[in-house]
């Protein structure tokens, strides 16, 4: 695995564990996808994610999906346009699930596939808080939002479910157009999809990878975000590599101390 740059202020720093620099700041990306249908039917069918290409030309196809969804709160569905977050899918899509009264299992299924036409749909006035646990630690979060017309709050979580870093307030009106539209069961026509990438650095994180994402909507002012979340797999170094690096750093520090002691001895002798 590719090793991240050792953190440094003045020389190498050792503090029990080796720190690594954060990935790039917030980014735009191109969505590379395969549509199952064509023409006017394309927005209704499966739209499978192949990869994303960053602005520097780097292509990422090593994704980690959500393997656990935990509904902390969600307005109750009682029929019609009540409730908040639900599982939604393209009118003719075959990969994924549709369910109005969202459950933890349904939330997991929506986020555990690469069909960008299977999303969490939110009623315009709905309030919810969802914790989405990734299969593996991630260094970047990838988001898509149907409609480019909503707000959402996101927070990074560690492996124990604790909030880490800063809470981000997102507005999909500012996101890039992902290059495709979708038409799901919850709406009457195709809508444009926006995309945005969030790095560890955006959350204020430098050495701690993201294990889960908390997503929330606060009602009417948020206009019902309709979204999909994935992550790019964090390049965590092998334990043996960390041990080797620790030994190398210790050796450099010891060498520095020996040189300093010799310089003091030479000075005293003079």
């Amino acid at each position: 695995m590719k090793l991240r740059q050792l953190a440094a202020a003045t020389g190498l720093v050792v503090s029990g564990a080796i720190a690594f620099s954060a990935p790039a700041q917030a980014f735009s990306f191109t969505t590379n996808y395969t549509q199952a249908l064509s023409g006017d039917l394309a927005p209704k069918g499966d739209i499978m994610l192949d990869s994303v290409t960053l602005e520097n030309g780097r292509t990422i196809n090593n994704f980690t999906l959500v393997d656990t969804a935990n509904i902390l709160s969600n307005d109750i569905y009682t029929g019609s346009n009540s409730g908040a977050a639900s599982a939604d899918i393209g009118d003719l899509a075959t990969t994924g699930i549709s369910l109005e009264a969202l459950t933890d299992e349904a939330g997991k299924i929506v986020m555990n596939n690469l069909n960008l036409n299977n999303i969490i749909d939110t009623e315009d006035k709905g309030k919810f808080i969802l914790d989405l646990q990734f299969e593996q630690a991630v260094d970047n979060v990838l988001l898509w939002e149907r409609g480019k017309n909503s707000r959402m709050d996101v927070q990074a979580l560690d492996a124990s479910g604790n909030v880490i870093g800063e809470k981000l307030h997102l507005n999909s009106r500012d996101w890039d157009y992902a290059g495709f539209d979708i038409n799901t069961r919850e709406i009457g026509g195709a809508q444009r999809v926006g995309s945005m990438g969030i790095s560890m650095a955006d959350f204020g994180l430098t050495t701690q990878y993201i294990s889960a994402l908390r997503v929330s909507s606060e009602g009417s002012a948020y206009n019902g975000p309709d979204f999909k979340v994935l992550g790019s797999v964090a390049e965590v170094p092998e334990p043996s590599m960390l041990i080797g690096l620790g030994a190398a750093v210790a050796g450099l520090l010891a060498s520095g101390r020996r040189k300093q002691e010799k310089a003091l001895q030479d000075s005293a002798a003079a």
Side-chain angles (χ1 to χ4, degrees), residues 255-270:
S255 176
R257 284 196 298 270
R258 286 194 296 270
K259 290 179 180 179
Q260 185 178 31
E261 289 170 358
K262 186 177 184 304
L264 289 173
Q265 290 170 357
D266 293 343
S267 176

Side-chain angles (χ1 to χ4, degrees), residues 36-250:
L37 304 177
S38 60
D40 293 340
L41 294 180
K44 297 183 178 183
D46 292 337
I47 300 176
M48 305 304 295
L49 176 66
D50 298 322
S51 63
V52 301
T53 302
L54 307 186
E55 291 176 301
N56 63 6
R58 177 191 172 200
T59 296
I60 298 175
N61 55 19
N62 191 15
F63 302 116
T64 181
L65 306 178
V66 169
D67 66 357
T68 303
N70 183 17
I71 301 173
L72 301 185
S73 66
N74 193 26
D75 290 350
I76 298 173
Y77 174 72
T78 58
S80 187
N81 291 325
S82 62
S86 63
D88 196 12
I89 195 170
D91 293 334
L92 301 176
T94 60
T95 301
I97 190 174
S98 174
L99 187 66
E100 282 285 4
L102 189 70
T103 63
D104 289 348
E105 181 64 18
K108 167 194 167 180
I109 293 172
V110 168
M111 297 298 171
N112 196 246
N113 65 69
L114 293 176
N115 185 10
L116 298 175
N117 209 357
N118 187 206
I119 61 174
I120 294 294
D121 173 274
T122 309
E123 298 299 333
D124 291 348
K125 298 179 180 180
K127 296 181 181 180
F128 70 81
I129 304 175
L130 303 178
D131 281 0
L132 304 173
Q133 180 83 32
F134 294 110
E135 295 169 333
Q136 299 173 257
V138 307
D139 50 12
N140 296 302
V141 174
L142 305 173
L143 288 161
W144 290 264
E145 202 278 327
R146 185 197 69 201
K148 282 176 51 61
N149 59 2
S150 301
R151 299 175 183 272
M152 66 176 75
D153 294 338
V154 295
Q155 295 172 281
L157 307 179
D158 65 16
S160 299
N162 301 310
V163 173
I164 51 177
E166 301 172 7
K167 187 175 186 178
L168 302 182
H169 307 280
L170 308 180
N171 188 341
S172 68
R173 291 177 175 84
D174 302 326
W175 297 10
D176 298 315
Y177 176 48
F180 63 93
D181 302 354
I182 61 176
N183 187 352
T184 62
R185 298 179 184 178
E186 288 283 331
I187 58 177
Q191 293 183 354
R192 290 161 60 90
V193 175
S195 62
M196 178 183 182
I198 306 173
S199 71
M200 287 168 51
D202 289 314
F203 287 107
L205 303 175
T206 56
T207 62
Q208 196 167 12
Y209 292 113
I210 302 165
S211 293
L213 190 71
R214 177 168 294 168
V215 186
S216 58
S217 171
E218 294 296 334
S220 299
Y222 283 57
N223 198 40
D226 310 311
F227 62 95
K228 185 89 169 185
V229 174
L230 288 86
S232 62
V233 178
E235 296 174 344
V236 182
E238 301 285 356
S240 59
M241 190 179 295
L242 284 175
I243 294 171
L245 280 170
V249 171

